[in-house]
Amino acid sequence: MSRRLLVLRVNGLAREAAVDEHHTLLEVLREDLHLTGTKHGCELGECGACTVLVDGEPWLACLTLAVDVEGCEITTVEGLAAPGRPDPLQSAFAELGAAQCGYCSPGMLVSARALLDANPSPTRDEVRHALAGNLCRCTGYEAILDAVLLAADRDGSARAAAHVAGGGDRGDR
Amino acid sequence: MTVDPSRTDDLAVVGTRRPKIDAMARLTGEARYADDLSMPGMLVGRQLRSIHAHARIRSVDTSRAEALPGVVAVITGRDVPIAYGVLPVSQDENALAVDRVRYVGEPVAAVAAVDEETAEQALRLVSVDYEPLPAVLSIEDALDPSGVLIHGEGQGANVHKAVALEFGDVDAGFAAADLVREDVFSFAGNTHAPLEQPATLAALGGDGRLTVWSATQAPHYLHRALARVLELPSSRIRVVAPPVGGGFGAKTDILPHEVAAAKLAMVTGRPVKITLTREEVFHSHRGRHPVQMWVRTGFTSDGRITAMHFRSLLDGGAYGSFGVASTYYTGALQTTTYRIPAYRFEGLRVFTTKPPCGPKRGHGTPQPRFAVERHLDRAAEELGLDPVELRLRNAVEPFSRTVNHLRITSCGMRACIEEVVSASGYHGKKGHLPRGRGVGFAVSAYLSGAGLPIYWNDMPQSEVHIKVDRGGGVTVFSGATDIGQGSTSTLATIVAEILGLQPEDLAMVTADTDLTPVDLGSYSSRVTFMAGNAAIDAASKLARLVAEGAAQRLGVPPEELVFRGGQVAVRGDPRKSLSWAQAVRAASARGALMTSGVYWAPEMAGPYRGSGVGISPAYSYSAAVVEVATDPETGEVSVEEVWIAHDIGRAINPVLVQGQVEGSVYMAVGEALMEEQSFRRQGVHRGPSLLDYKLPTTLETPKIHTILIEEPDPEGPFGAKEAGQGPLLPVIPAVAAAVEDALGVVVHEVPITPDRLLRALRAGHRGKAPVIGPASVPSFEFGEPERVQPPVGSPAEVAVP
């Protein structure tokens, strides 16, 4: 087994780790970088619990070799909230009970974040399709779909307010 | 001051929609689940699993594995030879098989190594010399007297539990009936598949005490089993349940890896963590029993039930688990929805060489509920009655006794039926939708906590402690495990209501046997009702202590004080008040502020063996209407909408209750249409993965309309009853009824997979009866039933016309 010194950009920080080349991004995040917020439910790409963003796109960390994403911008659930300022998705998930056991939530949240960044005003059906790869065993998905739409709505209102106040779209979330 | 736990008006926090107090921790990656824990020097544990469904173990050679650099210990069944089981009557399982394996995937050896790769490599170096024995994979095979015995030596029938009970005069009931109908049903086994794979971390402290952090729903039962198997006093063991990533019953039994991790920690002196792979979770199982059922019911011409005879045959898998209780549960709750004046129940559980079945959401009751509801639909057709009307004519009365000695208290069943039928427009749709679309209806009931603990004892079923520091900080200690259902928030809300605080003000310490008092666990939908009542008791005692201190300061009798909005104020004169912190300070001058609350369920057991299963201090009721769209070309069924009304008594937090209802509906849709734990010949699981084991994604989950019926229960905390399991029950038969309405196919079996539906449709095209379901059930001679005198006031006393 060969090891390599790797520099990964995770949640805006450059993180260095000596990793086994055959280790997945999921293993490196959880075991080498101690970012245990990203979960595993199968390690076979079936459940979506390990979803992280790689350059803004949802990727399954359990099927991604860490060495393949060197130089990419990686976002995990730990990177969604600014200190004291949760992502609107996190607030909406909390309010509407979209996280029960919470084990699918880290993957669900980043998948939803990728959707809203690409499509700020999705329909319910678009949300449903965007999250079809993230399994949840607790909620029946209803609260999750509602929460993503609520966050989109608030994102939209915040953008509109910023547009009025700033005289233009500053591109803030 | 006065605290009235049954108070249902003028509530400050109970009944309000609010986030769980731990929601953000679970949404930011902060919550640390069992597999997120690690310790310096920690070893990785892995288990070697049997490749045979049934074999004798001639020998296990671990020497090559032990010689592998990086391997610290290898243990086998000889190291943990003491058998255990969650039920005292079924101490039949070993953490690692001793001399025989009974299912593919049964653990045989366990290793602890410096990393996962080494541990995996070590498993391949353990050689097990097996002498294969015949696999036993069906109820019929298990009952074959010339077949092999799974427990014990030689030949015989593999009966784990057989029960036959009769309440009232069933023969007389049938004789008085205008219509006697018989039907047979089959319900496939399925599994919980919680997203979190179970994990256990165990470490021996320098003081020789063992700590076990485990993804468990019942730390108390795990604590007891570990003490037994490891031969340690329970005072030397601490069990902690970290936040659990979903349970649904999967983490209620004692699982082999929990024992193996603890033993490896003791052997190595180093922390050891075992996390199951997804494939191993399917072998660990303890899920829904496959059940074959036969039911015979007598009706008067106007649809009133005169007698029922119900027979269930359960395929239990290799070990006892909760199986004795599961068996009784398949017969216990039929009487909680319908007035049945005479009832005979025969239940049988057999051993087979497959992963052990156990409790899954609804434990032993979804299968008979499916059968009874479908059977009533058949009877309604034959009697020319509307299915809803047939249910209403037989609906159980609130505050009554059933023929099998169950105590019914509050009962919102009629309200549930009326609401759901009206909201869905059921009567305008049934029989009137275009071909391919249909609606179905069913009702059900479930326990708010099992009336008795798993092992007999006369101690409280729940205890809650509350401690207040001098600054006013309140810490609540409860043994209940939050598996995502929000039990920690629910208990915080209850305590906050009584103390006039906000749930977010409280510190909650849960599920830690060193710190928290015993709660039996998060199973049987018991926590809100039982731990909730213990929390009311503890908080009321605390409020009394604080009131006495505050009263002295305010110069009024303590009875005149109310707790509201962070103030302790004189009733009717809010200007005369102390802040909570001032009141605590005044009370602290009189002594320590620490209280204990307890809950004992009332004594309810009837005068017969097995009467401990089915009793509960309260039953929740549910009714569902399901609308489906089907494709007769592909056999696919899509559940489009579900209307569900649930009699919750009182929603402590409607967000959480609605979440439980919707989650139950989701799981029911999976069980009705696609989920099946099935095995190839030789007992190999057909698809132990989340792709092969089909479960609903966002795309297969219907629109759910939830209606909460709040008719407070007199004994529930603020009137609350359960929500976590009951709402699953009516959905499965309602899906089946909707498919019948859509396509005219008789559905007496689940899951309704496309191949089963197509086969039935093709049979119809060939002029045969289009049926999904068995033609018969395996035969078994139950013998004479134990005859039990029905209780005073039960339907047996009402003369059959």
Side-chain angles (χ1 to χ4, degrees), chain A residues 39-40 100-101 128 137, chain B residues 20 33 35-36 197 698:
Chain A
K39 304 303 181 202
H40 57 84
Q100 285 185 26
C101 84
R128 198 186 289 276
R137 251 340 227 177
Chain B
K20 294 196 290 186
Y33 300 76
D35 189 46
D36 300 336
Q197 299 146 282
T698 52

Side-chain angles (χ1 to χ4, degrees), chain B residues 220-246:
Chain B
H220 176 62
Y221 295 147
L222 176 59
H223 195 203
R224 283 168 48 84
L226 288 174
R228 173 190 171 99
V229 179
L230 303 173
E231 297 181 276
L232 289 174
S234 61
S235 61
R236 306 297 292 162
I237 303 173
R238 174 186 187 185
V239 176
V240 184
V244 175

Side-chain angles (χ1 to χ4, degrees), chain B residues 3 55 164 311 329 333 423 451 489 508 580 601 625 638 641 712 721:
Chain B
V3 175
R311 187 178 290 160
Y329 272 128
L333 298 193
S489 286
M508 302 298 292
W580 168 258
V625 170
S638 163
E641 279 184 85
K721 301 195 282 189

Side-chain angles (χ1 to χ4, degrees), chain B residues 157-168:
Chain B
N158 288 286
V159 173
H160 174 219
K161 178 73 187 175
V163 52
L165 294 164
E166 181 166 328
F167 309 92

